[in-house]
Amino acid sequence: MKLDILAFGAHPDDVEMGCAGTIAKSTSAGKKVGIVDLTRGELGTNGTIEIRDKEASEASKILGVSFRTNLEFEDGFIFNNKESQIRIVEIIRHYKPDIVLSNTQIDRHSDHGKASDLIYDSSFISGLSKLKTSFDGNTQDPWRPKINLNYQQWNDFKPDVLIDISNFMDSKINSILAYKSQVIKDQNTTSTKINSENFIESISYRSKNYGRLIDVEYAEAFQSRRNIAVSNLSDLI
């Protein structure tokens, strides 16, 4: 299955919080989108890995993605090393995405930046013809995504791309709310930054502010480490 977009997250819920609106908009337009979670979020303050697996499955249904998988790297200890890069290369070469979305490069959680570097470097070496890999016993051809963007997470950043998600904000919020163990505070959970009273509201007003900058209701922000090119000026509208 060739994908149009492959979104990576260090933890289940990273993708939803960072770029769920863009994913929902893409799948509604018939694009094939997949999600790869690097870890199962086992060091998260609340919930269990089994609960988060179920929550990720529910969020995936809301977003309409073609598939979701988890590489089961160790939460808190993601490394940008050869072993991890080969695992990512195998995924990229198998699904051949044109666009890769991944964690932001500098953020509050150390896994986010490490995952960002891992995905960026793996996306490049995936295109090297002399690197030999296989998937399910089949030899793979080289493949390099055309676009690699980092979605925004906890920290603010200066975006290079803003995507209008005005008609998909509800899908974004609903996909985040699927992670009840993480974002809903009750008497059985420990208080965290993402289950505080204003967290979901902050997701909305951040998207609303980015929308304001491009004269739409809501938008999501992305950064690129490479220059962004378009074929025609009208593509910028």
Side-chain angles (χ1 to χ4, degrees):
M1 175 173 57
K2 185 190 181 307
L3 295 175
D4 298 297
I5 301 171
L6 184 56
F8 289 89
H11 315 99
D13 74 21
D14 282 354
V15 168
E16 286 79 5
M17 293 180 185
C19 60
T22 298
I23 289 176
K25 184 174 185 176
S26 299
T27 59
S28 72
K31 301 295 185 183
K32 293 187 180 299
V33 182
I35 298 176
V36 176
D37 300 311
L38 300 186
T39 78
R40 298 180 77 185
E42 61 269 23
L43 293 183
T45 302
N46 295 304
T48 65
I49 56 176
E50 292 81 12
I51 289 172
R52 295 190 77 170
D53 285 347
K54 292 179 181 177
E55 292 170 340
S57 178
E58 178 61 26
S60 298
K61 293 176 184 176
I62 293 170
L63 298 178
V65 299
S66 298
F67 92 101
R68 187 173 198 145
T69 192
N70 195 303
L71 297 186
E72 299 187 13
F73 291 173
E74 188 175 0
D75 189 10
F77 299 93
I78 292 174
F79 293 106
N80 184 13
N81 55 23
K82 180 179 179 180
E83 180 183 4
S84 297
Q85 288 178 5
I86 293 298
R87 292 284 304 280
I88 301 300
V89 167
E90 289 170 352
I91 292 289
I92 290 174
R93 288 180 170 183
H94 182 68
Y95 291 105
K96 296 180 170 58
D98 296 316
I99 299 171
V100 162
L101 307 177
S102 62
N103 296 87
T104 188
Q105 193 173 13
I106 300 174
D107 206 43
R108 174 175 168 268
H109 197 305
S110 62
D111 271 352
H112 296 170
K114 290 185 290 184
S116 181
D117 291 340
L118 170 61
I119 302 308
Y120 185 82
D121 292 346
S122 300
S123 295
F124 178 80
I125 65 171
S126 180
L128 301 179
S129 59
K130 290 186 177 180
L131 176 65
K132 305 302 180 183
T133 60
S134 62
F135 192 95
D136 289 340
N138 298 312
T139 301
Q140 295 181 298
D141 295 325
W143 182 270
R144 185 173 294 148
K146 297 181 179 69
I147 300 170
N148 194 318
L149 298 176
N150 298 147
Y151 49 79
Q152 187 175 33
Q153 297 189 260
W154 190 265
N155 290 355
D156 288 332
F157 64 23
K158 183 177 180 181
D160 298 307
V161 178
L162 292 170
I163 305 294
D164 178 7
I165 61 164
S166 298
N167 295 326
F168 299 92
M169 194 64 199
D170 286 346
S171 296
K172 178 182 178 75
I173 295 300
N174 289 335
S175 73
I176 295 171
L177 290 175
Y179 293 91
K180 294 181 176 64
S181 69
Q182 304 303 302
V183 300
I184 303 298
K185 178 72 179 74
D186 60 32
Q187 61 183 2
N188 298 316
T189 58
T190 301
S191 295
T192 67
K193 289 185 179 295
I194 63 172
N195 68 15
S196 62
E197 288 185 7
N198 69 346
F199 176 70
I200 296 298
E201 183 182 352
S202 74
I203 295 286
S204 294
Y205 67 62
R206 173 181 273 178
S207 294
K208 199 170 189 67
N209 184 56
Y210 282 126
R212 176 185 63 85
L213 298 178
I214 58 172
D215 297 322
V216 300
E217 190 172 5
Y218 294 103
E220 285 178 334
F222 299 86
Q223 281 186 332
S224 175
R225 304 195 199 186
R226 299 171 54 197
N227 292 326
I228 297 172
V230 295
S231 297
N232 301 288
L233 286 176
S234 58
D235 293 335
L236 293 170
I237 297 173

